[in-house]
């Protein structure tokens, strides 16, 4: 399972978000501010939640990340390929799904209607969507609490791919010091269950704050995803008699990254709190302690920009 990632923009993209938008306003051409960017990230994660009890919660992955603007369409997305060498260590083993994809197209209501809907710190308004596909479940092995040695190792996993969609409204908001910050409020539709289940608030930012003479810079970038008003009874109870689900949960990512024209290096810390609306010890039974869904995770990345 994968969670929502930071909006890591290249240097040219940062400039495009300001100067190109101004050009579009002056000419009346909604394509005057068009831009696009693509980068590949070699990633390694430690303690990405949820963590199956007894599992080694580490894995490598390659990520193709992309985004841009074309007319009234603002797009961000990425495709992850896990466990590139197909090793036996980490939590992406035991025939776990290799691919996860996220696409987040937003449609500018300002550009579609030809009206300036900005007010105060709100600079542009969108109809926002988000799609999560693939990724499989959490996998690994754990020690069963049983005297039968033949049953002492069991696979810990949740079946099936993630298939979620999010629909709502968004805005680019000018935040003190952080600058232009993307904010979205979605209704959540579970494509697998074919039903609506709660809401999600998301915000992401990219703030260059330290510049060097060679043109490189250090940025503070991150995001917050918070789900709420979910059905906590959706997945039944664990061995403790508590619901596997809770009605709210999410994650906060805080990253520091060095950027040049072609490369980036960075570290990010992510705090999970009942991530994906799952309680700690979700799905625990007499043989297994369930999922750990609250705590810190760590990510390192090396990037090449196209």
């Amino acid at each position: 399972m994968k969670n929502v990632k930071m909006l890591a923009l290249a240097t040219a993209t940062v400039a495009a978000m300001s100067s190109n938008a101004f050009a579009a306003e002056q000419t009346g051409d909604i394509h005057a501010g068009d831009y696009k960017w693509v980068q590949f990230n070699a990633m390694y994660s430690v303690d990405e939640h949820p963590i199956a009890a007894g599992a080694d919660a580490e894995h490598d992955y390659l990520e193709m990340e992309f985004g841009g603007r074309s007319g009234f369409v603002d797009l961000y997305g990425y495709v992850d390929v896990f466990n590139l060498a197909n090793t036996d260590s980490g939590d992406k083993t035991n025939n776990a799904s290799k691919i996860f994809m996220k696409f987040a197209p937003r449609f500018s209501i300002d550009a579609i209607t030809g009206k300036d809907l900005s007010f105060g710190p709100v600079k542009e308004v969108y109809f926002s969507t988000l799609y999560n596909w693939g990724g499989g479940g959490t996998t690994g092995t754990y020690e069963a609490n049983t005297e039968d040695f033949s049953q002492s190792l069991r696979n810990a996993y949740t079946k099936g791919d993630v298939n979620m969609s999010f629909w709502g409204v968004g805005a680019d908001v000018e935040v003190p010091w952080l600058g232009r910050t993307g904010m979205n409020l979605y209704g959540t539709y579970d494509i697998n269950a074919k039903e609506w289940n709660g809401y999600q608030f998301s915000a992401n930012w990219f703030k260059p704050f330290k510049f060097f003479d060679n043109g490189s810079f250090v940025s503070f970038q991150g995001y917050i995803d918070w789900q709420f008003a979910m059905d906590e009874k959706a997945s039944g109870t664990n061995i403790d008699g508590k619901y596997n689900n809770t009605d709210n949960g999410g994650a906060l990512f805080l990253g520091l990254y060095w950027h040049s024209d072609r490369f980036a290096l960075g570290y990010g810390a992510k705090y999970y709190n009942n991530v994906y609306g799952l309680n700690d010890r979700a799905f625990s039974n007499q043989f297994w302690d369930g999922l750990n869904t609250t705590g810190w995770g760590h990510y390192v990345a090396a990037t090449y920009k196209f």
Side-chain angles (χ1 to χ4, degrees):
M1 301 174 77
K2 193 73 172 56
N3 35 13
V4 178
K5 295 187 55 68
M6 69 280 196
L7 185 57
L9 300 180
T11 309
T13 303
V14 176
M17 291 176 68
S18 54
S19 60
N20 287 0
F22 176 78
E25 292 173 1
Q26 298 303 305
T27 64
D29 178 5
I30 64 171
H31 289 285
D34 286 3
Y35 65 91
K36 58 186 175 182
W37 58 275
V38 178
Q39 61 188 39
F40 281 82
N41 309 314
M43 307 280 295
Y44 197 85
S45 73
V46 178
D47 290 343
E48 183 176 62
H49 290 57
I51 301 173
D56 180 11
E58 299 183 14
H59 63 265
D60 66 286
Y61 57 106
L62 179 67
E63 178 173 85
M64 183 183 73
E65 192 175 20
F66 54 87
R69 179 72 179 250
S70 177
F72 60 84
V73 181
D74 176 88
L75 176 65
Y76 171 73
Y78 62 83
V79 179
D80 288 344
V81 181
F82 302 121
N83 194 7
L84 301 176
N86 203 31
T87 65
D88 294 330
S89 62
D91 61 343
K92 297 299 182 182
T93 59
N94 300 329
N95 297 315
S97 178
K98 299 281 285 188
I99 304 291
F100 176 82
M101 296 176 285
K102 180 181 293 291
F103 295 95
R106 301 193 301 171
F107 306 90
S108 171
I109 299 176
D110 296 55
I112 292 172
T113 62
K115 299 182 181 298
D116 181 2
L117 302 178
S118 64
F119 59 93
V122 175
K123 301 306 178 184
E124 191 166 4
V125 181
Y126 300 87
F127 170 62
S128 299
T129 64
L130 169 65
Y131 306 90
N132 295 336
W133 293 306
T138 301
T139 65
T141 59
Y142 63 92
E143 294 288 342
N145 183 18
T146 175
E147 295 180 358
D148 183 356
F149 181 77
S150 66
Q151 297 294 317
S152 62
L153 287 177
R154 296 168 178 257
N155 286 329
Y157 64 94
T158 52
K159 291 182 178 180
D161 280 336
V162 173
N163 288 287
M164 300 291 294
S165 63
F166 303 78
W167 306 78
V169 294
D172 290 336
V173 181
E174 194 70 25
V175 176
W177 191 75
L178 283 180
R180 185 166 291 201
T181 301
M183 297 185 181
N184 302 284
L185 180 62
Y186 306 103
T188 303
Y189 184 74
D190 187 327
I191 299 173
N192 288 337
K194 294 182 172 56
E195 62 183 15
W196 294 94
N197 186 11
Y199 305 89
Q200 177 170 304
F201 171 77
S202 297
N204 58 71
W205 60 88
F206 181 91
K207 172 62 179 182
F209 68 92
K210 175 64 176 178
F211 296 88
F212 302 100
D213 292 340
N214 62 3
S216 65
F217 64 91
V218 177
S219 68
F220 171 56
Q221 54 198 70
Y223 63 84
I224 182 171
D225 291 326
W226 187 256
Q227 293 180 271
F228 59 96
M230 294 183 290
D231 179 11
E232 63 181 356
K233 301 178 181 179
S235 293
T237 58
N238 65 2
I239 194 173
D240 302 324
K242 296 180 179 179
Y243 290 121
N244 293 309
N245 289 104
T246 183
D247 65 353
N248 64 85
L252 169 68
F253 182 89
L254 305 170
L256 290 175
Y257 288 75
W258 168 82
H259 289 267
S260 70
D261 287 343
R262 290 295 176 188
F263 299 95
L265 295 171
Y267 162 79
K270 182 183 288 188
Y271 182 71
Y272 302 87
N273 188 346
N274 294 332
V275 67
Y276 306 122
L278 293 169
N279 273 313
D280 272 329
R281 287 178 51 79
F283 308 108
S284 61
N285 54 40
Q286 65 269 35
F287 300 114
W288 183 47
D289 286 336
L291 297 175
N292 179 352
T293 63
T294 297
W296 286 95
H298 307 274
Y299 297 80
V300 292
T303 295
Y304 183 79
K305 305 173 185 180
F306 284 81

